[in-house]
């Protein structure tokens, strides 16, 4: 959440910053602003609302300069108003932008008020800018004052600071919130994400926890949390700016739904060969770790948590390895029991999810056999800090509601399951059948996208409702959870996912003619049980929508209001396939309701604070 772009150059930086902020809109925000060193002042322009309002402000009151910082804010302390928008300044001598939360801002604020500083906002961020000014007023250089102030902060943050007395220099720091440094010719940059700068450079440093960086047009100096000058590895990032466009689709989400066949193909490429796991999937050291695994703990948030729930069914049914799945924000605040030879596995699209990273850092000292991760972003904090990271190769995901991230996460988790099955000497015929299902998955997903027009029809009915129930059983129960999450995320319709067998334990009380019930009906051993649960809904007048594998001998044709028949491949990969039409359903309902599909209210793409 939130986005930072900062530039020190020999040309006007306003357009660079604004374009960078545009590419970070996917992260979620409710105000935007910039601060530019402009002659004898720091010119600040900021507005509540979307970036378009800031652009209008810049047209009415233009500003130019060679050094500046910009920000898209997602409100935490203080409402999303222009006064609370970043940047914040202190006596027009220092300006700062900040992602995250300064947990000790109250005592710092009281100290600064006692020193005579007046606060103009409700934010924790304004504390930092006055603190830097306070230390500079005591005779410290901009650099020394900034390092001292940053050293007093508690919490998670990424900051960028600029100063009138040292107008070419930008100082930035990170702790618990991502920040990258881009190198150019005669100019240097800082941003929350490489995507913000990909039009300017492909050369990046990824700052580590506690790092502070100072950039000018011609220099870049990085210091660790102890103040020591350090070298970080310079990375070349091969990311096309075309990947960040809608490419003719109405929304990023729709584009990303349709990218799933390619994303899965890219994810499994070179990892499967001849219907078995390729030798290139893992190295010998990783295989040696997996051979020792007796238990698995999977930790994640949101959609990634649902991926973990599916993986639990796979791992226990196929490899007989006991597996627990837990929400990261709960796991990190209790004392979990770690049995001998337990593998810790965390899942995150961005690799910067605060709760998942905190769980990983806890796990490092909790006695786990090893820490593994599944992630979509190379060089993210999760990728760098875990022992072994499996990248999903989904490409950039801009829409806040995860689609291809989940599909590719499940593809990687399926690969891990197959590798463990091999190491556990599961029957080779079984393994080959499962691998074949995975190999043919991109084509099956592509077929499911052909259901789009049918799904549009049922979306017109569901859009009129205020609630919805999603039902699934076994490995498809997490898919029901995910379907409900997507609908509520982007359409704002209240939706809940339930294991169908739980209906009579409470949720059945909600069912009437105004309650749409969406059932995931795969061709598996639980189909008859699910049909019985559907009868319970039908008897109470519920409006039934069933997504059914056409290969199954189901008896639902005359028993549900709307039947969507589909090719769901085998029982191993069918959760991945069933997920796709549910994504399309949520998308079309949201479009009909006129909501902001790509940037739903109150949500952020990358949750980098608790």
């Amino acid at each position: 959440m939130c986005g930072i772009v900062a530039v020190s150059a020999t040309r006007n930086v306003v357009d660079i910053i604004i374009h960078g902020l545009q590419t970070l809109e996917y992260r979620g925000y409710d105000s935007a602003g910039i601060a530019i060193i402009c002659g004898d002042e720091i010119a600040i322009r900021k507005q509540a609302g979307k970036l378009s309002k800031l652009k209008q402000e810049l047209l009415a009151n233009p500003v130019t300069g060679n050094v500046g910082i910009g920000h898209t804010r997602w409100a935490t302390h203080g409402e999303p108003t222009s006064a609370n928008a970043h940047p914040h300044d202190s006596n027009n001598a220092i300006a700062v932008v900040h992602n995250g939360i300064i947990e000790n801002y109250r005592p710092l604020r009281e100290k600064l008020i006692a020193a005579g500083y007046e606060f103009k906002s409700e934010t924790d961020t304004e504390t930092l800018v006055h603190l830097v000014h306070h230390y500079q007023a005591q005779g410290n250089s901009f650099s020394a004052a900034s390092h001292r102030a940053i050293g007093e902060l508690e919490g998670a943050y990424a900051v960028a600071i600029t100063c009138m007395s040292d107008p070419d220099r930008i100082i930035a720091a990170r702790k618990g919130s991502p920040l990258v440094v881009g190198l150019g010719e005669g100019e240097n940059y800082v941003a929350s994400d490489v995507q913000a700068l990909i039009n300017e450079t492909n050369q990046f440093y990824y700052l580590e926890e506690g790092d502070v960086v100072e950039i000018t047009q011609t220099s870049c100096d990085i210091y660790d949390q102890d103040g020591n000058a350090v070298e970080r590895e310079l990375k070349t990032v091969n990311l096309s700016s075309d990947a960040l466009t809608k490419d003719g689709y109405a929304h990023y989400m729709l584009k990303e739904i349709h990218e799933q066949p390619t994303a899965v193909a890219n994810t499994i490429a070179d990892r499967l060969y001849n219907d078995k796991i390729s030798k290139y999937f893992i190295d010998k050291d990783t295989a040696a770790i997996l051979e020792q695994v007796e238990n698995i703990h999977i930790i994640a948030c949101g959609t990634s948590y649902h991926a973990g729930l599916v993986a639990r069914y796979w791992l226990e049914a196929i490899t007989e390895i006991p597996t627990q799945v837990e929400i990261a924000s709960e796991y990190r605040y209790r004392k979990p029991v770690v049995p001998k030879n337990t593998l810790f596995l965390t899942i995150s699209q961005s690799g910067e999810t605060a709760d998942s990273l905190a769980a990983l850092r806890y796990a490092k000292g909790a006695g786990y056999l090893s820490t593994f991760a599944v992630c979509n972003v190379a060089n993210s904090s999760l990728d760098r800090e875990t022992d072994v990271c499996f990248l999903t190769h989904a490409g950039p995901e801009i829409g806040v509601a995860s689609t291809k991230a989940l599909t590719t996460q499940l593809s990687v988790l399926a690969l891990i399951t197959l590798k463990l099955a091999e190491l556990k000497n599961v029957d080779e015929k079984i393994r080959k059948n499962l691998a074949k299902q995975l190999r043919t998955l991109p084509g099956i997903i592509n077929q499911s996208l052909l259901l789009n027009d049918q799904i549009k029809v049922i979306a017109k009915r569901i859009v009129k409702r205020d609630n919805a129930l999603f039902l699934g059983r076994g490995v498809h129960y997490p898919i029901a959870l995910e379907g409900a999450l997507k609908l509520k995320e982007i359409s704002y319709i209240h939706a809940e996912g339930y294991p169908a067998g739980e209906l009579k334990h409470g949720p059945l009380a909600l069912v009437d003619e105004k309650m749409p019930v969406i059932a995931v009906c795969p061709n598996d051993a639980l189909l008859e049980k699910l049909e019985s649960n559907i009868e319970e809904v039908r008897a109470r007048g519920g409006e039934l929508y069933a997504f059914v594998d056409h290969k199954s001998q189901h008896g639902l044709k005359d028993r549900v209001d709307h039947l969507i028949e589909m090719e769901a491949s085998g029982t191993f990969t069918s959760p991945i396939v069933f997920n796709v039409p549910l994504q399309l359903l949520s998308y079309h309902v949201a479009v009909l309701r006129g909501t902001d599909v790509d940037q739903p209210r109150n949500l952020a793409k990358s949750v980098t604070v608790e």
Side-chain angles (χ1 to χ4, degrees):
M1 63 182 64
C2 303
I4 288 173
V5 181
V7 186
S8 180
T10 54
R11 55 176 170 145
N12 183 24
V13 300
V14 173
D15 287 345
I16 302 173
I17 293 172
I18 293 297
H19 182 269
L21 293 178
Q22 281 181 304
T23 67
L24 296 178
E25 284 190 292
Y26 73 93
R27 297 168 68 89
Y29 71 104
D30 41 43
S31 62
I34 63 170
I36 304 294
I37 301 290
C38 184
D40 59 354
E41 69 166 342
I42 300 178
I44 295 178
R45 305 286 187 267
K46 55 185 181 177
Q47 288 289 326
K50 295 297 184 181
L51 199 58
S52 57
K53 291 189 176 181
L54 176 60
K55 290 180 181 178
Q56 291 172 4
E57 171 70 11
L58 287 168
L59 286 173
N61 297 288
V63 59
T64 60
N66 297 343
V67 177
I69 56 179
H71 192 258
T72 50
R73 174 182 185 250
W74 193 84
T76 54
H77 294 72
E79 296 179 0
T81 63
S82 295
N84 288 330
H86 298 203
H88 293 288
D89 75 293
S90 185
N91 297 289
N92 203 243
I94 311 279
V96 66
V97 291
H98 160 232
N99 295 348
I101 296 174
I102 300 172
E103 294 178 353
N104 61 331
Y105 83 98
R106 291 186 187 278
L108 292 174
R109 185 182 179 112
E110 291 171 2
K111 165 185 168 180
L112 290 162
I113 290 173
Y117 286 90
E118 181 181 347
F119 284 74
K120 297 178 287 185
S121 77
E122 303 169 87
T123 68
D124 53 336
T125 303
E126 194 177 358
T127 303
L128 173 60
V129 72
H130 291 317
L131 195 60
V132 176
H133 185 275
H134 175 64
Y135 289 136
Q136 193 175 32
Q138 295 178 359
N140 293 291
S141 66
F142 172 45
S143 176
S146 297
H147 281 257
R148 183 174 176 183
I150 291 166
E152 292 189 23
L153 303 182
E154 297 175 8
Y157 55 79
V159 300
I161 314 167
T162 189
C163 174
M164 280 300 302
S165 65
D166 195 350
D168 295 333
R169 188 177 307 276
I170 292 171
I171 298 175
R174 70 150 292 181
K175 180 184 177 185
S177 191
L179 210 60
V180 299
V181 180
L183 301 187
E185 294 184 9
E187 54 195 49
N188 290 307
Y189 327 86
V190 172
S192 298
D193 193 312
V194 296
Q195 293 175 197
L197 303 174
I198 206 66
N199 272 5
E200 310 301 330
T201 183
N202 67 349
Q203 301 294 301
F204 292 94
Y205 292 116
Y206 290 81
L207 297 184
E208 297 187 6
E209 280 292 276
D211 280 357
V212 179
V213 63
E214 300 188 17
I215 62 168
T216 67
Q217 292 92 333
T218 57
S219 66
C220 173
D221 300 297
I222 302 175
Y223 304 88
D224 65 17
Q225 58 187 355
D226 297 320
N228 303 311
V230 292
E231 294 286 336
R232 299 298 182 211
E233 183 181 358
L234 187 64
K235 303 272 190 177
T236 299
V237 175
N238 296 312
L239 176 65
S240 168
S241 58
D242 293 340
L244 309 179
T245 68
K246 294 178 185 174
D247 197 25
Y249 287 93
H251 298 92
Y252 282 111
M253 182 180 179
L254 185 60
K255 176 193 176 191
E256 288 157 9
I257 289 172
H258 281 82
E259 286 176 337
Q260 288 176 114
T262 300
V264 171
N266 290 340
T267 296
I268 64 177
D270 299 327
R271 291 168 165 176
L272 276 179
Y273 178 73
N274 238 1
D275 288 340
K276 63 181 180 180
I277 294 294
S278 165
K279 64 181 180 180
Y280 301 110
F281 179 47
I282 62 171
D283 58 27
K284 291 181 179 179
D285 291 339
T286 304
I289 294 170
L290 290 177
E291 285 179 335
Q292 300 175 63
V293 171
E294 297 177 21
N295 297 273
I296 299 174
H297 288 176
I298 300 176
I299 310 299
C301 302
T303 289
S304 297
Y305 169 69
H306 296 156
L309 289 175
V310 172
R312 177 180 63 185
Y313 284 95
W314 287 340
L315 289 162
E316 293 195 337
I318 297 166
T319 72
E320 298 184 355
I321 299 174
T323 303
Q324 295 182 28
V325 187
E326 191 160 355
I327 294 171
S329 58
E330 292 296 317
Y331 170 89
R332 63 181 291 196
Y333 288 115
R334 68 179 187 85
K335 294 182 179 179
V337 175
V338 182
K340 181 184 177 184
N341 291 330
T342 299
L343 177 68
F344 178 94
L345 173 60
T346 189
I347 310 167
S348 168
Q349 187 282 137
S350 67
E352 303 293 349
T353 308
D355 288 317
S356 297
L357 282 170
L360 170 64
R361 289 160 187 161
Y362 171 84
K364 289 281 190 177
Y368 284 93
L369 173 66
S370 187
T371 60
F372 281 24
V374 175
C375 179
N376 188 40
V377 182
N379 300 306
S380 61
S381 297
L382 190 63
D383 182 20
R384 297 196 307 272
E385 293 184 33
T386 194
D387 296 335
V388 178
C389 187
F390 297 95
L391 293 174
T392 56
H393 305 306
E397 187 177 71
I398 307 301
V400 166
S402 282
T403 52
K404 62 179 179 174
L406 173 66
T407 307
T408 52
Q409 285 169 356
L410 287 171
S411 299
V412 169
L413 291 165
L415 288 165
I416 293 171
T417 301
L418 288 175
K419 186 60 185 180
L420 282 165
E422 176 189 312
L423 295 171
K424 298 293 183 183
N425 295 314
V426 172
D427 184 272
E428 185 177 6
K429 287 184 179 179
I430 294 174
R431 301 201 317 265
K432 276 186 170 288
N433 175 53
L434 300 178
K436 182 180 179 181
Q437 290 183 44
L438 194 55
R439 175 173 55 81
T440 58
L441 182 59
I444 302 297
I445 293 174
N446 201 52
Q447 289 183 43
S448 72
L449 293 170
L450 300 178
L451 299 169
N452 187 65
D453 289 345
Q454 293 181 57
I455 291 169
K456 275 186 179 179
V457 172
I458 64 174
K460 291 177 182 178
R461 296 184 61 87
I462 292 175
V463 73
K464 302 173 184 177
R465 306 307 185 196
D466 296 321
N467 303 281
L469 283 176
F470 286 73
L471 302 180
R473 295 200 75 142
V475 70
H476 295 83
Y477 161 51
I479 301 306
L481 290 173
E482 176 63 15
L485 176 61
K486 284 292 159 287
L487 188 65
K488 72 180 89 173
E489 275 183 314
I490 62 171
S491 75
Y492 315 149
I493 291 174
H494 174 254
E496 296 295 335
Y498 276 93
E502 276 291 293
L503 268 177
K504 59 179 75 74
H505 295 281
L508 202 55
L510 299 172
V511 173
D512 60 18
E513 69 280 0
K514 295 180 180 179
M515 175 65 78
V517 178
I518 297 99
V520 179
C521 306
N523 185 22
D524 64 13
L526 291 173
L527 181 57
E528 287 188 9
K529 297 286 187 185
L530 185 58
E531 288 180 10
S532 296
N533 301 137
I534 287 172
E535 278 298 323
E536 294 170 350
V537 173
R538 185 171 176 237
R540 275 81 180 174
E543 191 174 45
L544 280 159
Y545 301 80
F547 289 81
V548 182
D549 186 341
H550 72 81
K551 291 182 178 179
S552 64
Q553 299 299 311
H554 65 81
L556 296 173
K557 203 167 190 71
D558 300 317
R559 296 157 64 190
V560 300
D561 299 281
H562 300 276
L563 188 72
I564 304 291
E565 291 191 306
M566 53 187 285
E567 167 66 66
S569 186
T571 55
F572 180 46
T573 54
S574 67
I576 305 175
V577 182
F578 271 100
N579 179 59
V580 176
L582 296 184
Q583 294 172 351
L584 286 169
L585 177 62
S586 296
Y587 171 78
H588 287 301
V589 172
V591 169
L592 290 170
R593 285 175 71 92
T595 60
D596 191 337
V597 172
D598 288 331
Q599 297 172 41
R601 67 189 183 198
N602 305 331
L603 298 180
K605 181 64 177 176
S606 181
V607 184
T608 57
V609 296
E610 289 189 61

